[in-house]
């Protein structure tokens, strides 16, 4: 009988249906623990689970008879269905988990019923029972699975690196922990906790543990009902975004699923709130009457079909839009109160929409007279400030003229790619007027009024520096500079394991990282060609995302990754720049090969001529 079991299990494995990798073992065993009513489940792994997986639970346990039957019973059920292999395979060998695992590994089961005097141990290797005996052990069940695929070299060969397998397990347990916030899940490797959720039945606590504080704090609640669907969960507001969808987790009736309709609704709702290429993190559960969903369970992927896709789409879409709108109101409130606190009394009346912040001026190492004169003038015009509508009309008017003049290729001039670098040298001679909206640098040169987008300009500078180094000395590591204080950054367990595998590659790019604790890395250095990396954490996130979506090592993606880093390392709009910082930026800009467009193709510099202003003011027509 055991021989037949081996053959059938081997067939199943050959079909890739049952136990494909350590994570499949973990999935089956944890599902059993959940079925047994456990509230605490601990998974300990060695070498990504290839060497050893131990699952302990505080569930109901098994009687000695059941402990042995748990393996044997399924051999029987398989034999009865041997004429119908098709059926067995489409069922994904349900009910065969323990037998399948025992067929391809060395298993030790220890279990004790709650209240029972003694526990029972079963040792089974390659499908053969080696020994059974009474033992002392805690209530509940502990299953140890060693040397996975020791007897199936074909399968063993397909396993990935330990860290990758560990990543799959961490990802799986994360999802289970999000589905069951009422259960405490713990994953340990090398005696270190990788995941440990509280099991306090609070989804946000679980999100906090798994995705970190920043993400959890940016989350708003999703709570929506559209008969007969109920949706609950959390989504991040656009303050915190990610470069991929790896943190979008959807459950239907508590089961993690993938569904095209649900994804489409998520994308549609995200579109209006998130920039292209930016994605929210979200965890939602759709509660739907069981008879209205058809769940087709594959061991790896769970597809689901709904009775009415329209309603599902609408429910998901509106649930997210509603949550994001609530979130936006909350953030606006925060922002307003912050703004009110920092506004100097000197500045303007209440109706004022834009404020001039003078708070940071003391930091300027050089304070030109023009700042003062600008301010006086501003105060003077104070009473005649445009209401918002008028300001908007004005902007619209500008846009129209801009379009028109582009068509006619007259006045309002954007410097184009054809211009040569030397042509920009005049910027050195131009009078630096200052910064406006903490976003644009203003200059005057002869009859030109020059406006530079500080972010786009800086981004271009950094991008060219990185790219030049990369192209000219591909093999050479990027020179690096030490951060005064290392920055800590939170990652998911899966991300952390990918980073851990690629520390050398990060260092090659100038980012020296340390693994610090279970879900944190420390950033110690940044590339030294970038004078002042503004947001190292987001720059690293670009690289981490590219590891997750596997574009990290692709030559054709390299440019995109460098763009991403440049964007994060550059000064932002709304960053206050001192005059010396502005001058530095202009200097760097002049030395560029292509100083005219940011890596995204937006213009960096706009040149208004005096006559353009005169036309706007209808001094001339
Ligand atoms: P299935 O879960 O489909 O019944 P399995 O092979 O996964 O098939 O498990 C076989 C049986 O072993 C279960 O039905 C259950 O009775 C028992 N069992 C397995 N794991 C546990 C556990 N952790 N606690 C209690 N009973 C368990
Ligand atoms: Mg099972």
């Amino acid at each position: 009988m055991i021989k037949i079991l081996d053959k059938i299990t081997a067939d199943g494995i050959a079909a890739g249906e049952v136990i494909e990798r350590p994570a499949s073992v973990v999935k089956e065993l944890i599902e059993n623990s959940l079925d047994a009513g456990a509230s605490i489940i601990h998974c300990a792994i060695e070498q990504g689970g290839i060497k050893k997986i131990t699952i302990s639970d505080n569930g109901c346990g098994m009687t000695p008879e059941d402990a042995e039957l748990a393996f044997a019973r399924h051999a029987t059920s398989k034999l009865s269905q041997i004429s119908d292999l098709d059926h067995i395979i489409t069922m994904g060998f349900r009910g065969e988990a323990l037998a399948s695992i025992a067929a391809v590994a060395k298993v030790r089961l220890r279990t004790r019923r709650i209240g029972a005097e003694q526990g029972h141990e079963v040792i089974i290797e390659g499908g053969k029972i080696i020994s059974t005996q009474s033992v002392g052990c805690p209530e509940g069940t502990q299953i140890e699975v060693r040397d996975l695929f020791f007897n199936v070299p074909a399968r063993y060969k397909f396993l990935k690196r330990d860290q990758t397998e560990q990543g799959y397990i961490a990802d799986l347990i994360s999802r289970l922990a999000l589905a069951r916030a009422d259960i405490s899940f713990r994953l340990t490797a090398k005696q270190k906790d990788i995941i440990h959720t509280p099991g306090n039945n609070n989804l946000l606590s679980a999100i906090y543990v798994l995705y970190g504080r920043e993400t959890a704090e940016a989350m708003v609640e999703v709570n929506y009902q559209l008969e007969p669907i109920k949706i609950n969960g959390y989504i991040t507001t656009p303050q915190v975004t990610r470069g991929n969808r790896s943190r979008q987790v959807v459950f239907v009736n508590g089961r993690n699923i993938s569904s095209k309709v649900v994804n489409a609704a998520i994308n549609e709702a995200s579109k209006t709130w998130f920039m292209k290429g930016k994605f929210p993190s979200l965890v939602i559960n759709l509660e739907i009457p069981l008879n209205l969903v058809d769940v087709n369970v594959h061991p790896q992927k769970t597809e689901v079909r709904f009775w009415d896709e329209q309603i599902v789409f609408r429910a998901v879409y509106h649930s997210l839009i509603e949550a994001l709108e609530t979130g936006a109101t909350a953030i606006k409130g925060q922002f307003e109160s912050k703004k009110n606190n920092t506004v100097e009394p000197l500045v303007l009346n209440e109706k004022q929409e834009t404020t001039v912040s003078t708070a940071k001026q003391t930091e300027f190492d050089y304070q030109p007279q023009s700042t003062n004169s600008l301010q006086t003038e501003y105060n003077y015009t104070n009473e005649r400030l445009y209401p918002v509508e008028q300001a908007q009309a004005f902007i619209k008017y500008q846009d129209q003229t801009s379009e028109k003049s582009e068509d006619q290729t007259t006045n309002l001039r954007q410097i184009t790619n054809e211009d040569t670098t030397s042509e920009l040298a005049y910027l050195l001679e131009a009078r630096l007027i200052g910064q406006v909206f903490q976003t644009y640098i203003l200059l005057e040169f002869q009859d030109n009024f020059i406006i530079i987008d500080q972010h786009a300009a800086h981004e271009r500078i950094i991008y060219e520096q990185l790219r030049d180094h990369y192209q000219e000395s591909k093999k050479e590591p990027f020179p690096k500079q030490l951060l005064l204080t290392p920055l800590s950054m939170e990652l998911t367990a899966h991300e952390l394991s990918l980073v851990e595998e690629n520390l050398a590659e990060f260092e090659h790019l100038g980012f020296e990282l340390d693994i610090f604790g279970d879900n944190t890395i420390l950033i110690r250095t940044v590339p030294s060609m970038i004078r002042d990396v503004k947001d190292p954490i987001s720059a690293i996130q670009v690289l981490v995302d590219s590891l997750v979506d596997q574009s990290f090592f692709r030559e054709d993606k390299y440019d995109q990754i460098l763009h991403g880093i440049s964007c994060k390392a550059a000064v932002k709009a709304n960053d206050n720049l001192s005059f010396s910082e502005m001058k530095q930026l202009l200097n760097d800009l002049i030395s560029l090969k292509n100083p005219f467009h940011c890596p995204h193709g937006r213009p960096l510099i706009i040149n208004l001529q005096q006559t353009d202003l005169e036309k706007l003011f209808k001094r001339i027509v």
Side-chain angles (χ1 to χ4, degrees), residues 141-319:
T141 302
Q142 306 91 49
I143 301 187
E144 191 183 280
V145 177
R146 280 185 300 120
D147 299 330
L148 185 62
F149 300 139
F150 78 100
N151 55 353
V152 196
R155 275 269 131 217
Y156 183 84
K157 231 176 36 209
F158 280 101
L159 294 177
K160 305 219 175 104
R161 286 186 282 186
D162 296 356
Q163 279 298 329
T164 310
E165 295 297 345
Q166 179 178 321
Y168 289 129
I169 294 173
D171 189 55
L172 168 77
I173 295 185
S174 299
R175 285 163 192 274
L176 289 165
L178 291 170
R180 296 294 303 268
D182 57 329
I183 309 263
S184 172
F185 286 92
R186 183 167 173 211
L187 170 65
T188 52
K190 296 189 202 120
Q191 336 296 343
K192 274 197 321 193
D193 270 0
I194 292 175
I195 291 173
H196 197 171
T197 61
N200 61 355
N201 207 11
N202 179 339
L203 177 56
L204 202 55
S205 304
I207 291 174
Y208 186 106
V209 169
L210 295 165
Y211 293 166
R213 183 168 59 91
E214 201 193 26
T215 302
E217 282 180 354
M219 287 211 149
V220 285
E221 198 175 350
V222 178
N223 186 347
Y224 192 83
Q225 189 158 6
L226 180 68
E227 276 304 332
I229 305 175
K230 261 216 244 135
I231 303 183
N232 277 294
Y234 289 90
I235 181 170
T236 49
T237 54
Q239 291 166 288
V240 174
T241 60
R242 301 187 54 85
N244 59 44
R245 296 183 177 87
S246 64
R247 285 185 185 176
Q248 300 191 343
V249 184
V250 179
F251 301 103
V252 169
N253 298 329
R255 188 192 281 274
N256 189 201
I257 53 103
S258 86
S259 147
K260 286 204 179 91
V261 202
V262 175
N263 288 344
I266 292 172
N267 289 342
E268 216 39 49
S270 309
K271 240 192 226 162
T272 46
W273 287 88
F274 294 82
M275 284 189 339
K276 207 166 164 248
K278 295 286 165 207
F279 305 95
S281 302
L282 63 87
V283 181
I284 52 170
N285 180 43
L286 283 62
E287 223 174 282
I288 304 177
L290 290 176
N291 58 334
L292 298 180
V293 274
D294 175 16
V295 182
N296 191 358
V297 189
H298 290 271
Q300 302 311 322
K301 201 164 47 175
T302 306
E303 301 268 0
V304 57
R305 252 176 304 158
F306 300 105
W307 85 111
D308 184 340
E309 301 205 327
Q310 287 288 327
I311 293 186
V312 173
F313 183 96
R314 281 213 304 277
V316 173
Y317 176 82
H318 288 292
S319 73

Side-chain angles (χ1 to χ4, degrees), residues 32-33 35-36 57 60-62 70 73-74 94-99 141:
N32 283 347
S33 295
D35 290 344
D57 68 48
C60 61
M62 286 176 258
R73 185 176 69 210
H74 298 276
R94 267 192 288 187
E96 317 296 331
L98 283 184
T141 302

Side-chain angles (χ1 to χ4, degrees), residues 482-496:
L482 208 60
L483 292 174
L484 276 181
T485 41
L487 287 167
S488 73
M489 175 181 181
E490 288 165 348
L491 295 174
T492 64
H494 180 46
E495 289 171 339
L496 192 85

Side-chain angles (χ1 to χ4, degrees), residues 58 65 85 95 121 127 261 266 278 309 340 344 368 385 610:
N58 65 346
E65 299 71 39
L85 254 175
E121 179 185 84
V261 202
I266 292 172
K278 295 286 165 207
E309 301 205 327
N340 288 340
E344 301 274 330
L385 279 169
Q610 194 173 356

